[in-house]
Structure formats: C-alpha cells, structure tokens
Amino acid sequence: MDFSQRLERILPEVQKPARYVGGEYGQIIKNKADVDVRFALCFPDIYEIGMSNLGLRILYGVLNSMNGVWCERAFEPWRDMAAKMKEEGIPLYALESGDPIKSFDIIGFSVGYELSYIGMLEMLALAGLPLKSVDRKELTPLVFAGGTCMFNPEPLADFIDLAVIGEGEEADAQVVELYRMAKREGWGKARFLAEAAGIEGVYVPSLYKHKYDSQSGVLSEIIPAAGARKTVAKRIVKDLDSSFFPVETLVPSTEIVHDRTVLELFRGCIRGCRFCQAGYVYRPVRSKKPETLVRQGIEALRHSGYEEISLSSLSTSDYGKLAELCDGLLNWCEPRKASLSLPSLRADNFSMELMKRVQKVRKSGLTFAPEAGSQRLRDVINKNVTEEDILNSCATAFEGGWNAVKLYFMLGLPTETDEDVLAIAALANKVYEAWRKASSNRARGVRITVSASCFVPKPMTPFQWCAQNAMDEFRRKQGLLRQALKNRSIVFNWHSPETSFIEAVLALGDRRLGPALEEVQKSSGGLKAWDEYFDFKAWLSAFEKHGIDPGFYALREKGESETLAWDTLSAGVSKAFLRRQYELALAGKVSPDCAHACLGCGADALAGGFCEAAAEGGVR
Amino acid sequence: MNGALKFRFRFEKTGRAKYLSHLDLMRTFQRAFIRAGIPVKHTEGFNPHPHISIVLPLQLGMESVCERLDAEIEGACPDMAERLNRVLPEGLRITEAAGQVMKPGEAGFARYAVELQYDGAADTAEKAARLEGFLKSGPIIISKKTKRGLAELDIRPHITDTALEAEAFRIRLTALFSALEPAVNPSDLISALKEREELKPDFAKCTRLEIYNKNKELFR
C-alpha cells in the first residue's frame, strides 16, 4: 500500500481530520518540475494555532513569491494522529503536496513559545530525521528556526543548523538563495553554514563555543570560530508600507483559533514596560500608513470572504491615525456586515470612545492589563497606567452597557510584597464598586475576571537578570489573593507555577539543556503547551538524568557582569540600557515612553539612525 | 426582504474535501459566496448569518457527486456556478444552479457506491456471493442512537436496489439507502459487516451518487 492509501485509512479514525489534509482555498500548488527548492514551513503546535499566526502567513507568501521555491506547511499533529502515524510508519508530510518533509531542501520552524521546543523535536522525530544538527551530516535538509524565541536560541543549539534573529521576511529569502547556490555548486554543510553566518541576522550556534566556570557552572566565555561575528544583530524590515503583506491568503476550511483577517498596524512599541520581551525585541517602532492598511484590509477581506477584521499591534491605542483607519475600514465593512475588532487598547477615554463606535451591536467582554495591583509595583515595571485610568475606563464601559471585564495581572514581579498582591484584590473590588455606581442595568449583574499569571523573566528585557519566584512562593501568593477575593461577582483564574517555571528555564536556559529536551521528547512526546500533555514529572526527571539543576536558570539572580547565554545576539537595544532600566525599576522609578523622550536604547541604529517615535513624537 | 430568490446548487465533495465536517462546509460556502460576490440573504436578528443550508448532510469521510445546497440570493446573479467554482477550495465543485422544486424534507433516498477493501483477497468472488446472501436473507440488526437512547433496528429492508461487482482485493457495492425515517447510512452496513469475520473489510470508501425523493424520483 502506498503512503496516501495508508494515510486515507487512518484519517477517519482521528479527531478533526480536516487539519491534516490541506487543500484549503488559497494554498499554493506548484509544478515540481519548475521547483528547485522545496521548503517546509513548520509550526510546532497544532494547525488551529499555527494557521492563526500572521507571521507564518507572511513567510508563506514571501517564500512562494520566489521563483523556483515551493513553500508548504507542516504542523504538529495531535496525539491521536501522531500515534497513528508512528504505528503506520507515515512520516510527517507537508499539507500541500502530501510529500514527506524529510526529502525537502529546507525545514524552517517558526518558534514563538518556549514550551513548543519539544513540539519542534517531536516534528523532526515524526519526519524521521535525526534531531541533532551534527547527526544530519549533509547540506540537505537544512533545519533552521526563527521567531521570538530565537532571541535566546541556545536551548535549541544542538538541534538547529542556524537561527534567523528578528524579522524573517528578508533574511529567510537570503538563506534560501544561498542554499540554492550551495546546492547547485555542491557545497558541504560546513561551508554553507560558514557562508550563511555572513547573512545579517543569521546565527549559526555551532560556530560559537560556550565555556563555563567549573565551580559555579556560570557561563564564563563565548568564543566565536574564526570568521564568525562577535555579535549577530537582528534583522528588521525598514519600510513596512512596501513590505510583503498577504492580501491573498489561505482560508482554512476548518475552524482555527483566530479565524479572521488580521492587519498589522505597526511593529515595536513606545511604552517600555520592563517585563515585556516584545516591547524591546521589536524596536524600533515602524508603522504602516492608514491608507496602506485600509487598502490591504479591504483587499484581504474581499479575497478571503472573512467577515471580521482585527487590528493587531502591541498597543493599538498608540497608533496615531487610529480614528482615520477605523473610519476607512468601517465605511467598507458596515454595509457588508463585516465587523472590526480592536484588541490591545489602553485604558484611556479615547480608546473607550473608539470601542463604542466599532462595537455597535455585540458587547463582548473588555480586557485590561494593569499587570500589577499597586501603583508602586506598576512603577517598577513601568506600566504607565493609573488606577484612575482603569476605574474611569471601566465606568465608561459599564455606563455603555458592558457587564464583563477581564483584568490581567502577574504575580512574582521584581520587588513584589504581600501588600502588592493584596492590592490586586483591592483594585478588583474598586472595579466592582465602579460597576455598582455606573451600571445602567444592575439587575443583569457583572462578571469581573481576575487572571493572575506567574511572571517569567525574559531575555533582552530589563528583567533578564531577575530570579523568578519559586513555585511555592507563587502558590502562597495565589492563596493570599484567592482569600482576598471574596466577592461572588469576581472570578479568579491563576496559572500553573509548574508551567511558568519550565517556561523560565527554557527562556533563560543555555545549550546545556539540549540532552534534557531530547529526553523529554522521547519520554513524553510533544504538545507541551497543552496542559494535558505538559507532564511536569517528565521535565524534572529529564533534568535530573542529565545533571541539570533547573533552578540554576530560573531561580538565580544573575550578576551584572555575567556573560548571558544570548549575549552573542543583539536586538538593537544595548545591554547597558537594559541594566539602567533594571536599576530604575529596583528604585521604583518610571521612564517616559518613547513619544515623550528618547532614552537612547540604541535600536534606531538598525534603521540607519532613524526612529519614528523620536522623529514624530509617537507612532505616526 | 424583497427580491430574494431561492436557489438549489448541486455540488461535488471529493478528494481532500471529504474530510470537511458539516460545519466546516457551511463556513466554507458562506465565505465562498462572499468571495464570488454573490449576495446571500442574511437572517434577521441579533446575530445575522447567511441563509444557506445543506439538504442532506453527508457523513464526514464520504465523497459525493450529488450534494445539494440551498441558498437565498438577493437579486439576480449570472454565472453563479462558474463564479463559485473559481473561489472554492480543492474538492468542492458546483455542477448546477437551479431553482428549488422539492422541499428539503422530501429527500427520502440516496444511492451510494461502497468500495469494500479486502487486502488478503486477490479473488473476491466467493466473498461477493456471501455478501449477496447476507444482503438478501434475514434481518441485519444494528444498534442505532436515537433520542431515547440505543435502539435495535433491522436495516435490511432499507437497503434496496443492490448491485455487486467483485474485483481483485475489493468488492464494489451500489445500493439505495433510506435517507429518512429511518435514516440508514452505508456506515451502518459497514459496522454490521465488521461483526462478521468473513465479510469484515480492511477498509471501506463511500461515495454518494444521487439523492431522490420519497417516490424515488430525482431530488430537484
């Protein structure tokens, strides 16, 4: 029986087979005779998550726009499918052609969440490829990774041949072109990697030797091979207006998580919240013109048949011409019964007015992220929102008929005391009081959801030196807060400290974690971002087996002069700037946002010394 | 609303599209109508959605060359089949756009082709003879989920007009299945076959060939 017949026999036996077959409207099919580079764009989570990722759709479009390159997709299968594939000897295949990705030229992973590292290894295993870079001796297939997690790719250093740091739309294309030349001229893998390391934004882990202090185990030195750069700076797209945007995109036939057209207003953020990795690693701020966005939004809606469009950015309220943009989109959307949604708004009055305008019919929930309960701690993390802002916004919303509010907080932020924890409950109670005063219909009741996650220090942020709270400490604080939230209209959700601990180990880890990751994949399988398959015990026993103390990475405050595992890489923001911000945080001092004062983070150098936030006083 | 016309589209659901669930299919068609610029009438009310429905939803995993989709279209719209076919995903293809002659509830029978695969049987003639006997004699009792829980049902009288073809490693069966009161599917027959060691297929593929009304006239 051939591969497709065996596949046909297992598909009726798995849940939601539509996610394993491709064939969607907008998929790209090319004639194999015209193709010399087969590219498998892989996402280490299930179809429904991966297809919701705008970055993946951009790269799919960019790569397929290249002559002779056919980019296809592969996602991590759910457990039932993975088990059937192993049983029947069906290797991981690409959705468009159904061909096994093992025989592709390039396998590129988009990695945006630390817990999906195991999913990436699981996909390589399902493909029938050796997990380790050194065990894949030939040039083909080349395995690389990109995405936000690549600002510290060290835990994956054993497995990937190279990483693309920063935005991939230009760098990935260069990697593909270089590969094409290497294939044509018969280069070996070593020569290719040495040449690839010359592409801006490309990091080849095997070209760097990490040395550790034999006593403390702390990284003492990173030694680049001859010819390798000391620092690899991330890539950015300088002009977003002219950059590729997929107006003709895939429309999944089966339901995915974010099933709508997404417009990206700008990259970067002017706010400088000190815990937020995205806020630092995507600098400098670069926006699209409203006319570009309106045109792309209408074209994308028309082409896809979607009836909802969502505006995406790190802080949508900061987009200077937001009202103009919304008007332009609504003029087209309203007569066609399409809706516009605006996530990531700040808790200010202007935003509330806008919310009222766009949400004419349905009043879904509102979400605010104060992150910390007390003003003192909000100052530490530089979250420049006041209690007054939050309460006023909530009151406006309640007057307007909303009756559900979600409040997001983090526990375990640097310098947090029990007073700060209890301030979360106090704030939630004040929101309840605001509802009592402002609600236009009290009989309907109100639902206030307080979500408390566990803070995970991230590389390339001012908190990269911080120790995470121990799991017991998180549990104690959760208990404290739960007791203080007695009001029945307030629902309390909290995150598992175990998950956040592993997240921190992986985010802050180094290449010594490799054997443990391989162990977890072998003993426990993928889908680690899913509670039911997270399997804390498997992680702990893998660390133990390989002599790794996970607390060394997550729970230890790092010294100011310590070499950090990701020091070879640069997001454009200087380490000195991050350190200064950390010290200001510890002193409880806020910094102005980039629209009000340039603090000299250094990221403007990536755009030839230009920063929109400094030049235009914000996001244009 | 004035001017809305009721249409019945005949379409194929083959290849990879056979894995689309009923809900997937509805969603896919809603978007395809928008892409094709064909204005479908929306329901009134708080959460308006387009007025489209499938006459006799097909089981997931089956192919069909005779599906029917009903839609109310605002105003006249030329070349609807061609326009839709340009924007439908692989495996979905409109073969006809016509008016609605019969009511959806009048669909009473459907003809299916069932390919029963026997990996070990290079010659299936004997199996085919047994299968023929099985289909013609005695009751074929299956347990079916009803609103009141599991119930036993003899599906034999509801599978008629059967024809068999024995080939190497497979038997092709075509038959007319009752689609309403009771609704009997090829999957019911296949699960009955799985109970019998000598007729148990290694795999079965089904294709719906045609839909008829209660008088076995073509469903239009």
Side-chain angles (χ1 to χ4, degrees):
Chain A
M1 240 188 316
D2 71 13
F3 168 84
S4 65
Q5 281 173 307
R6 276 180 292 149
L7 183 61
E8 186 177 32
R9 287 195 178 186
I10 64 171
L11 284 172
E13 295 176 30
V14 301
Q15 290 176 49
K16 303 184 188 168
R19 55 191 167 170
Y20 304 122
V21 297
E24 310 94 317
Y25 178 69
Q27 72 169 358
I28 308 283
I29 300 286
K30 292 194 179 182
N31 182 350
K32 286 180 200 175
D34 305 332
V35 168
D36 60 356
V37 179
R38 301 278 303 266
F39 192 112
L41 184 56
C42 296
F43 191 89
D45 205 324
I46 59 172
Y47 178 90
E48 293 89 323
I49 307 285
M51 283 307 299
S52 302
N53 185 292
L54 178 62
L56 197 83
R57 287 164 177 268
I58 291 175
L59 293 176
Y60 185 76
V62 166
L63 293 165
N64 276 318
S65 73
M66 297 172 74
N67 264 335
V69 178
W70 186 10
C71 172
E72 304 178 52
R73 298 157 295 150
F75 300 92
E76 190 182 0
W78 195 249
R79 276 290 162 99
D80 57 348
M81 182 64 175
K84 288 272 178 206
M85 288 168 70
K86 286 176 196 165
E87 220 175 282
E88 297 294 326
I90 295 174
L92 187 69
Y93 55 90
L95 293 184
E96 282 76 359
S97 63
D99 293 337
I101 67 164
K102 188 182 179 171
S103 62
F104 276 44
D105 291 287
I106 305 179
I107 296 173
F109 283 92
S110 170
V111 191
Y113 183 35
E114 292 83 0
L115 287 182
S116 65
Y117 292 172
I118 308 298
M120 175 180 156
L121 302 187
E122 176 78 1
M123 287 175 76
L124 288 174
L126 281 169
L129 285 165
L131 301 190
K132 284 196 191 143
S133 174
V134 288
D135 297 331
R136 299 184 303 264
K137 310 228 184 277
E138 308 299 321
L139 172 65
T140 303
L142 178 75
V143 176
F144 81 102
T148 313
C149 285
M150 291 307 105
F151 285 99
N152 177 18
E154 287 305 315
L156 295 176
D158 285 354
F159 312 109
I160 53 176
D161 299 329
L162 63 88
V164 168
I165 315 302
E167 294 161 16
E169 43 268 81
E170 291 165 9
D172 286 9
Q174 282 177 288
V175 170
V176 169
E177 287 302 354
L178 184 70
Y179 172 89
R180 201 201 299 257
M181 185 199 280
K183 190 181 171 188
R184 199 171 51 225
E185 297 182 0
W187 298 2
K189 184 170 175 176
R191 172 157 180 216
F192 170 80
L193 290 179
E195 296 278 345
I199 299 173
E200 263 183 81
V202 168
Y203 171 60
V204 178
S206 57
L207 297 182
Y208 297 82
K209 197 169 183 181
H210 284 210
K211 284 177 109 179
Y212 308 95
D213 182 279
S214 56
Q215 294 282 298
S216 64
V218 167
L219 181 63
S220 55
E221 202 186 353
I222 299 175
I223 308 160
R229 279 175 297 196
K230 191 167 177 298
T231 305
V232 176
K234 77 167 181 207
R235 284 296 284 270
I236 62 163
V237 172
K238 292 193 180 82
D239 177 22
L240 286 189
D241 280 307
S242 64
S243 75
F244 179 87
F245 179 79
V247 285
E248 291 186 10
T249 182
L250 274 150
V251 184
S253 304
T254 192
E255 195 170 15
I256 59 170
V257 179
H258 297 297
D259 210 1
R260 58 186 80 101
T261 292
V262 177
L263 277 185
E264 190 185 21
L265 308 193
F266 58 94
R267 293 184 186 169
C269 183
I270 61 167
R271 294 284 157 182
C273 301
R274 289 168 181 145
F275 58 86
C276 176
Q277 191 185 33
Y280 289 91
V281 300
Y282 294 128
R283 291 180 182 212
V285 161
R286 290 145 294 144
S287 66
K288 285 188 182 180
K289 294 191 178 85
E291 51 270 32
T292 309
L293 290 164
V294 171
R295 175 172 50 78
Q296 290 177 342
I298 292 171
E299 268 180 62
L301 283 168
R302 194 178 265 149
H303 179 268
S304 63
Y306 277 128
E307 291 182 285
E308 185 182 351
I309 185 164
S310 174
L311 303 186
S312 156
S313 74
L314 292 170
S315 175
T316 298
S317 310
D318 289 330
Y319 185 67
K321 305 230 166 88
L322 189 56
E324 185 183 323
L325 170 63
C326 289
D327 283 342
L329 290 171
L330 285 171
N331 283 343
W332 192 87
C333 288
E334 277 181 344
R336 292 168 180 82
K337 300 179 182 75
S339 66
L340 170 65
S341 59
L342 299 171
S344 299
L345 286 183
R346 285 179 69 78
D348 59 32
N349 282 330
F350 166 73
S351 303
M352 292 309 304
E353 286 305 310
L354 207 66
M355 283 292 283
K356 279 200 262 181
R357 249 168 68 201
V358 300
Q359 294 211 335
K360 277 184 185 154
V361 194
R362 255 183 286 183
K363 290 202 164 52
S364 51
L366 273 183
T367 303
F368 297 111
E371 311 293 0
S374 69
Q375 194 58 50
R376 186 200 73 79
L377 194 52
R378 283 196 294 272
D379 289 348
V380 167
I381 62 174
N382 207 40
K383 180 89 192 182
N384 289 315
V385 57
T386 64
E387 186 168 298
E388 206 187 339
D389 292 335
I390 296 161
L391 294 177
N392 284 342
S393 302
C394 287
T396 314
F398 294 141
E399 278 164 26
W402 269 278
N403 63 343
V405 173
K406 281 187 193 154
L407 302 170
Y408 283 11
F409 298 94
M410 276 185 278
L411 291 174
L413 287 164
T415 78
E416 184 182 56
T417 63
D418 286 359
E419 249 172 62
D420 297 312
V421 175
L422 293 171
I424 293 175
L427 180 56
N429 286 322
K430 282 178 196 165
V431 170
Y432 178 76
E433 289 306 319
W435 170 77
R436 279 176 54 90
K437 278 192 204 122
S439 172
S440 48
N441 181 2
R442 276 182 30 194
R444 276 176 73 203
V446 66
R447 188 183 163 91
I448 297 162
T449 307
V450 172
S451 281
S453 63
C454 304
F455 171 61
V456 178
K458 291 279 168 102
M460 310 259 178
T461 68
F463 294 157
Q464 64 180 351
W465 290 277
C466 287
Q468 191 184 35
N469 276 187
M471 289 181 284
D472 279 341
E473 178 69 352
F474 277 130
R475 282 185 210 105
R476 190 186 66 79
K477 287 175 176 173
Q478 287 169 348
L480 203 62
L481 187 51
R482 194 165 46 235
Q483 280 184 348
L485 287 168
K486 288 288 184 208
N487 189 321
R488 277 196 203 160
S489 298
I490 302 175
V491 180
F492 179 44
N493 294 330
W494 60 92
H495 283 208
S496 127
E498 289 82 6
T499 313
S500 305
F501 175 61
I502 297 298
E503 240 182 87
V505 173
L506 299 177
L508 304 167
D510 58 36
R511 48 181 69 182
R512 287 174 292 184
L513 292 180
L517 298 192
E518 201 174 338
E519 182 79 28
V520 173
Q521 182 271 322
K522 290 212 163 68
S523 69
S524 171
L527 299 170
K528 289 288 168 265
W530 296 82
D531 284 349
E532 55 266 59
Y533 298 122
F534 168 63
D535 198 356
F536 190 50
K537 279 190 190 140
W539 292 94
L540 292 188
S541 69
F543 290 140
E544 202 186 330
K545 187 167 170 185
H546 293 279
I548 291 162
D549 167 20
F552 172 83
Y553 297 104
L555 306 177
R556 182 178 64 90
E557 169 95 18
K558 293 169 192 68
E560 179 176 356
S561 58
E562 199 175 313
T563 303
L564 304 174
W566 48 92
D567 271 355
T568 307
L569 309 178
S570 163
V573 177
S574 73
K575 200 173 174 184
F577 171 81
L578 294 176
R579 189 69 197 183
R580 210 152 60 230
Q581 283 294 312
Y582 185 35
E583 279 154 13
L584 286 168
L586 294 178
K589 289 192 175 136
V590 297
S591 287
D593 65 52
C594 303
H596 289 91
C598 175
L599 304 172
C601 72
D604 58 333
L606 295 166
F610 176 79
C611 176
E612 192 177 309
E616 318 232 353
V619 189
R620 87 185 161 198
Chain B
M1 222 173 281
N2 290 327
L5 295 170
K6 291 185 176 182
F7 279 93
R8 178 159 291 156
F9 296 87
R10 185 185 167 99
F11 69 98
E12 296 174 351
K13 185 175 187 257
T14 57
R16 314 198 215 193
K18 75 177 176 182
Y19 299 106
L20 300 186
S21 69
H22 176 63
L23 283 176
D24 293 340
L25 192 65
M26 295 287 281
R27 192 176 12 249
T28 299
F29 269 112
Q30 283 172 17
R31 289 175 183 157
F33 276 107
I34 296 173
R35 295 195 286 262
I38 300 172
V40 177
K41 189 182 158 184
H42 277 61
T43 56
E44 307 287 321
F46 190 62
N47 186 11
H49 56 273
H51 248 305
I52 65 170
S53 59
I54 305 280
V55 169
L56 205 60
L58 188 71
Q59 275 189 340
L60 188 122
M62 287 189 188
E63 295 187 284
S64 173
V65 294
C66 64
E67 292 306 280
R68 312 285 206 282
L69 173 128
D70 288 352
E72 286 188 50
I73 311 293
E74 310 258 22
C77 208
D79 309 328
M80 286 194 292
E82 291 79 1
R83 283 162 70 173
L84 280 167
N85 283 336
R86 277 198 288 270
V87 296
L88 278 168
E90 197 180 305
L92 295 179
R93 200 172 73 88
I94 306 281
T95 53
E96 189 190 336
Q100 299 176 10
V101 177
M102 298 169 186
K103 291 202 175 68
E106 289 178 54
F109 292 93
R111 184 180 303 283
Y112 291 90
V114 181
E115 181 188 316
L116 300 163
Q117 299 179 357
Y118 297 99
D119 296 346
D123 181 358
T124 54
E126 195 199 319
K127 263 189 205 302
R130 271 175 200 266
L131 180 59
E132 192 163 14
F134 176 75
L135 290 168
K136 288 206 167 128
S137 64
I140 304 174
I141 306 292
I142 59 149
S143 304
K144 238 183 142 46
K145 264 187 227 158
T146 68
K147 279 169 198 155
R148 280 157 296 157
L150 279 181
E152 303 239 297
L153 173 73
D154 177 11
I155 58 172
R156 213 199 60 78
H158 307 293
I159 305 173
T160 54
D161 202 7
T162 56
L164 286 169
E165 239 178 274
E167 285 175 27
F169 304 109
R170 53 179 49 78
I171 297 173
R172 291 182 199 280
L173 161 76
T174 57
L176 197 61
F177 287 72
S178 165
L180 202 70
E181 289 164 4
V184 176
N185 273 305
S187 55
D188 296 321
L189 176 63
I190 292 159
S191 36
L193 292 178
K194 283 182 180 163
E195 303 288 311
R196 325 205 85 201
E197 202 43 51
E198 74 283 9
L199 290 176
K200 184 180 170 187
D202 292 294
F203 190 64
K205 288 161 76 163
C206 304
T207 307
R208 187 189 265 170
L209 301 175
E210 194 47 271
I211 301 175
Y212 304 94
N213 73 359
K214 284 162 195 155
N215 302 324
K216 302 188 183 172
E217 295 159 342
L218 184 70
F219 183 81
R220 288 178 299 131

